[in-house]
Amino acid sequence: MELYLIRHTTPDVPSGTCYGRTDVPLQSDFLSEFSNVLEKLPALPQTFYSSPSSRCKKLAEFLTENRPVRLEYSNSLMELDFGIWEGKLWSAIPRSESEVWTKDFVKARPPGGESYLDLNERVSDYLDEILNTSENSPIAIVTHAGVIRAVLCRLLNIPLEQSFSFELHYGSVSKIGITKNGTEFFSKLIFWNR
């Protein structure tokens, strides 16, 4: 099975803004970025899963428009919930709060938000569901950088603490080859961040 992990295109937010679950708009030239994403896909998967955030939903709908494919949305594919930090500039977040999180972003939670471990658990559960119910045909997931990093770490057996070794640009496409042997999955990164 081939799994394509597609990051949404460039959002229209001020530089330095903390956003995860916040539904932010895309930059005005998003259609040209959408076309670039489409060109990166060697073949169009028959099944797409997407975060319901508008920045992902619009891209997923563009990629599947007028094509006989399945498109399913799931809150499990939403970005990290930054709680009360959502929509604030990082520079406006008290350093005493942000330093606790940056020192242990895997386990620490922003006030009122979720930890990266929380995100990883919900994403892993949903990924298991997808992989266990999918046939051998290619599938695509349109989502956020945090989710993609969690999926890459899970499938490639990399600790979450090293997830930022995957630099993911807006509109990037990563491809993983997955084989199933009984109840175990074996994965190989074919390309990332095209």
Side-chain angles (χ1 to χ4, degrees):
M1 172 191 317
E2 294 174 341
L3 172 63
Y4 294 90
L5 300 169
I6 304 167
R7 187 179 183 196
H8 63 79
T9 56
T10 312
D12 188 13
V13 294
S15 180
T17 301
C18 175
Y19 65 94
R21 289 284 177 102
T22 302
D23 202 13
V24 297
L26 294 171
Q27 287 190 345
S28 60
D29 64 345
F30 69 89
L31 284 176
S32 116
E33 288 187 271
F34 285 7
S35 295
N36 289 336
V37 171
L38 183 59
E39 289 174 14
K40 293 175 186 178
L41 292 169
L44 198 65
Q46 293 300 300
T47 305
F48 279 75
Y49 299 92
S50 177
S51 161
S53 295
S54 65
R55 59 191 184 270
C56 296
K57 187 176 181 181
K58 285 181 180 180
L59 176 58
E61 289 173 355
F62 174 86
L63 295 172
T64 60
E65 186 177 42
N66 299 321
R67 295 180 177 89
V69 299
R70 181 173 153 233
L71 173 57
E72 180 180 307
Y73 300 101
S74 174
N75 288 337
S76 295
L77 298 173
M78 296 281 287
E79 184 57 285
L80 187 77
D81 182 351
F82 283 100
I84 65 170
W85 296 351
E86 289 280 345
K88 293 183 179 178
L89 291 175
W90 282 102
S91 59
I93 297 168
R95 180 167 262 187
S96 60
E97 291 179 15
S98 63
E99 282 182 352
V100 170
W101 182 76
T102 56
K103 286 180 182 174
D104 188 11
F105 72 92
V106 172
K107 295 177 187 161
R109 289 182 177 95
E114 67 180 337
S115 70
Y116 197 48
L117 198 55
D118 295 332
L119 176 146
N120 184 62
E121 287 177 19
R122 71 174 154 81
V123 169
S124 291
D125 289 346
Y126 190 66
L127 182 64
D128 285 346
E129 185 181 315
I130 290 172
L131 297 179
N132 284 315
T133 58
S134 294
E135 296 175 10
N136 235 3
S137 59
I139 59 176
I141 297 176
V142 180
T143 189
H144 312 271
V147 173
I148 293 172
R149 287 185 177 106
V151 170
L152 289 170
C153 286
R154 163 84 190 295
L155 292 176
L156 300 172
N157 294 314
I158 295 170
L160 284 176
E161 290 81 5
Q162 296 176 18
S163 64
F164 281 91
S165 62
F166 296 106
E167 184 180 347
L168 299 168
H169 300 290
Y170 294 116
S172 67
V173 176
S174 303
K175 179 181 175 184
I176 300 177
I178 303 171
T179 54
K180 186 176 181 182
N181 184 5
T183 58
E184 292 187 24
F185 294 100
F186 299 92
S187 308
K188 177 177 84 174
L189 186 61
I190 298 171
F191 62 74
W192 69 279
N193 200 19
R194 283 182 54 184

